[in-house]
Amino acid sequence: MAKKGGLGLGRGLDALMGTSQTAEISQIEHAEPSPGTQPVTSAKLPEGIEVDADGGLWVDPAFLRPNPKQPRTEFDAQALDELADSIRENGVVQPIIIEPAGEKNFYIIAGERRTRAAKMAGLSKVPVQLRRYNDQKKLEIALIENIQRSDLNPIEEATAYYNLMQMGDLSQDEVAQRVGKKRSTVANAMRLLKLPEDMQKSLISGQLSAGHARALLSVVNPADQRVLFGRIIGGGLSVRQTEELAGSLNNGGRAGDSKKKQKKAVKKDPDILAIEQKFLEKLGTRCLLNGTLEKGSIEIDYFSRADLDRLYNLITGSD
């Protein structure tokens, strides 16, 4: 049972929608309305909605538009194909929650993935529930639905929490209560938005896990954080290895821990700094050029025998 004042994820959508009909209507398993379906004649229902003999509402998915507050922006193509195959076989089991958007158009409040798959499956009608919400409630419902199904990547989830806070002038505690999460979960998710853009993109693509991202955020010095990111991408570090290396970077005086080193790095020739960055991207570890473009030495960091072997193979071209 959900705690008083909160929304347990198992019943979060019911609580938000203020209805007890979700469970009943979710039993509908037809891919098309029953033969007794007639066009809507009631003035209380928007144009485009049809009602079957049992009172169920249906609409052509071509009339459905994405929720403007949908936190999810990435949809896995293979998963959609699999859902479309299931819908061809069994129909849309759970109704799509919609609201009028004018001229036979409707916004999808919850169920965009089902809608996409239904269109792929060639359905001409899908079961719906008709509701009206303000922008904050649209975001809350879409967020809870996606969290329940683990459909959001970490950055989408973090951005949704942030937008919900801004839209409703809510605290992290209040957001956590709305979506049935612990405050620490919301806080840790939103910290991911502090990562540089390229690291966020790697998190979205799956190159980084949330565990990798938290380890990156624990690194105090931005230069060290950049080194660690390169090591994760270039060296395939596990989360545990990343956490250990993050601790080492924080405590080992590397990559400009002292103010003196940071100031010295800033004074380097921009061409040398650019070359160091290229080495970092290529080798996945920090490389320092000591000297000038004409003469000097290169210092390359490694953190284990396996890391040294990896660098050796990269530099020599060995298998």
Side-chain angles (χ1 to χ4, degrees):
M1 179 178 293
K3 294 180 181 180
K4 185 176 180 181
L7 295 176
L9 283 182
R11 49 194 287 255
L13 283 175
D14 282 338
L16 273 176
M17 293 187 289
T19 177
S20 62
Q21 297 177 355
T22 305
E24 297 176 8
I25 300 180
S26 67
Q27 301 305 313
I28 298 174
E29 296 185 355
H30 305 294
E32 297 286 348
S34 59
T37 299
Q38 297 294 330
V40 173
T41 57
S42 171
K44 294 183 179 180
L45 291 174
E47 184 182 2
I49 298 287
E50 298 180 10
V51 185
D52 66 18
D54 298 319
L57 304 183
W58 299 79
V59 70
D60 186 335
F63 298 154
L64 303 185
R65 303 288 178 262
N67 178 357
K69 301 302 177 184
Q70 166 68 270
R72 187 178 183 191
T73 58
E74 302 286 333
F75 292 84
D76 183 83
Q78 182 177 348
L80 277 178
D81 285 338
E82 292 172 355
L83 181 57
D85 288 340
S86 175
I87 285 175
R88 290 187 188 98
E89 184 71 22
N90 304 302
V92 177
V93 176
Q94 184 175 356
I96 297 158
I97 302 169
I98 63 173
E99 76 166 5
E103 298 183 2
K104 290 179 69 173
N105 287 319
F106 304 88
Y107 283 135
I108 304 164
I109 305 304
E112 183 172 348
R113 184 168 171 269
R114 275 168 282 150
T115 301
R116 288 175 179 240
K119 290 179 179 179
M120 292 168 61
L123 270 61
S124 61
K125 295 289 185 293
V126 293
V128 296
Q129 290 185 41
L130 194 60
R131 297 286 184 270
R132 292 181 185 274
Y133 300 106
N134 60 30
D135 286 347
Q136 180 181 333
K137 196 66 70 176
K138 289 176 191 176
L139 177 56
E140 286 183 41
I141 292 172
L143 177 56
I144 289 175
E145 184 200 33
N146 282 296
I147 289 175
Q148 286 176 337
R149 292 172 172 79
S150 300
D151 279 345
L152 297 177
N153 66 53
I155 295 300
E156 288 173 335
E157 184 174 347
T159 302
Y161 291 145
Y162 174 80
N163 289 340
L164 195 53
M165 286 183 65
Q166 297 299 308
M167 191 178 299
D169 194 22
L170 304 175
S171 67
Q172 288 186 356
D173 283 325
E174 290 170 325
V175 168
Q177 187 179 55
R178 296 286 181 94
V179 300
K181 292 280 190 178
K182 294 181 179 179
R183 189 205 66 80
S184 59
T185 301
V186 173
N188 286 333
M190 291 182 62
R191 287 182 64 227
L192 300 178
L193 299 179
K194 296 180 180 179
L195 288 170
E197 185 178 354
D198 59 336
M199 297 184 193
Q200 291 189 31
K201 288 181 178 179
S202 292
L203 191 54
I204 291 171
S205 69
Q207 287 182 299
L208 295 181
S209 70
H212 286 119
R214 285 190 290 271
L216 280 167
L217 286 165
S218 73
V219 177
V220 176
N221 186 274
D224 287 340
Q225 185 185 68
R226 180 60 56 184
V227 168
L228 182 56
F229 175 59
R231 288 287 292 106
I232 297 169
I233 301 302
L237 296 183
S238 68
V239 172
R240 183 176 182 128
Q241 290 172 322
T242 303
E243 291 170 344
E244 291 175 351
L245 185 50
S248 174
L249 288 169
N250 280 334
N251 297 315
R254 295 180 180 274
D257 282 335
S258 70
K259 292 182 179 179
K260 182 178 180 181
K261 286 185 178 180
Q262 290 180 39
K263 289 179 180 178
K264 183 177 180 180
V266 170
K267 295 179 180 178
K268 273 192 174 181
D269 185 321
D271 290 334
I272 289 180
L273 291 174
I275 292 172
E276 288 179 344
Q277 180 62 31
K278 290 295 184 182
F279 274 128
L280 171 61
E281 294 170 359
K282 180 66 176 178
L283 299 180
T285 192
R286 186 187 63 157
C287 298
L288 290 182
L289 271 65
N290 301 308
T292 68
L293 291 174
E294 304 300 328
K295 183 179 180 181
S297 63
I298 300 176
E299 178 184 341
I300 301 176
D301 286 346
Y302 62 93
F303 304 95
S304 67
R305 176 57 188 270
D307 199 23
L308 178 59
D309 289 341
R310 180 187 67 84
L311 289 167
Y312 175 82
N313 291 333
L314 280 172
I315 293 171
T316 64
S318 302
D319 293 333

